[in-house]
Amino acid sequence: MEITAAAVVCLAQAIYFEARGEKLADRLQVANVVMNRVESPRYPDDVCGVVRQKHQFEFYWDGEPERITEPEAWTDAVMWSMRYLERPMRYHNACHYVATNVFTNHNPSWAQQMEAFESGGHRFFEGGC
């Protein structure tokens, strides 16, 4: 896969808006989901297509403008995005996750068919790719 500036920014946005403030391993779990989707025939075949896919990543489709309010966390997300794209670090085969505080209030039907594990503030679901 060709690494483009757009891909770096899109992956950094996913890392930043979905998991900033969490441990590095937990932020990279989010990046892993994005890349698992890129490699799946069920999703767009590029990072920005995956991140911008309708109703997939709440930060992108919630109708609220995204603002980077933590410059150090953004710089960190960009750096790890570049590193991840240069040398993907596979942690799991998950293509889905939800915030654990959302999961306790909403148990999606699709989640019942998958193996789940928690990391940081998210529950990841393996399978479904």
Side-chain angles (χ1 to χ4, degrees), residues 44-74:
D45 63 358
D46 64 283
V47 175
C48 290
V50 165
V51 171
R52 295 175 180 163
Q53 188 176 14
K54 191 173 184 177
H55 302 296
Q56 297 299 310
F57 291 87
E58 184 175 357
F59 79 89
Y60 192 80
W61 62 266
D62 66 1
E64 299 293 322
E66 302 310 324
R67 291 189 172 78
I68 295 165
T69 58
E70 299 175 36
E72 286 183 36
W74 173 248

Side-chain angles (χ1 to χ4, degrees), residues 29-37 57 92 94-97 124:
Q29 303 268 22
V30 169
N32 199 133
V33 166
V34 172
M35 297 311 295
N36 285 346
R37 288 183 176 199
F57 291 87
H92 52 70
C95 278
H96 306 280
Y97 65 87
F124 294 85

Side-chain angles (χ1 to χ4, degrees), residues 8-47:
V8 170
V9 169
C10 288
L11 187 58
Q13 288 173 328
I15 293 168
Y16 178 86
F17 290 114
E18 295 287 318
R20 77 177 174 276
E22 294 187 26
K23 294 178 186 175
L24 175 60
D26 301 325
R27 295 191 309 268
L28 293 177
Q29 303 268 22
V30 169
N32 199 133
V33 166
V34 172
M35 297 311 295
N36 285 346
R37 288 183 176 199
V38 168
E39 293 176 0
S40 169
R42 297 183 62 200
Y43 296 93
D45 63 358
D46 64 283
V47 175

Side-chain angles (χ1 to χ4, degrees), residues 1-11 35 46-48 78-88:
M1 177 177 94
E2 179 183 352
I3 300 172
T4 65
V8 170
V9 169
C10 288
L11 187 58
M35 297 311 295
D46 64 283
V47 175
C48 290
V78 170
M79 179 195 67
W80 282 104
S81 174
M82 287 188 294
R83 286 187 180 178
Y84 194 98
L85 290 168
E86 288 171 356
R87 186 192 281 164

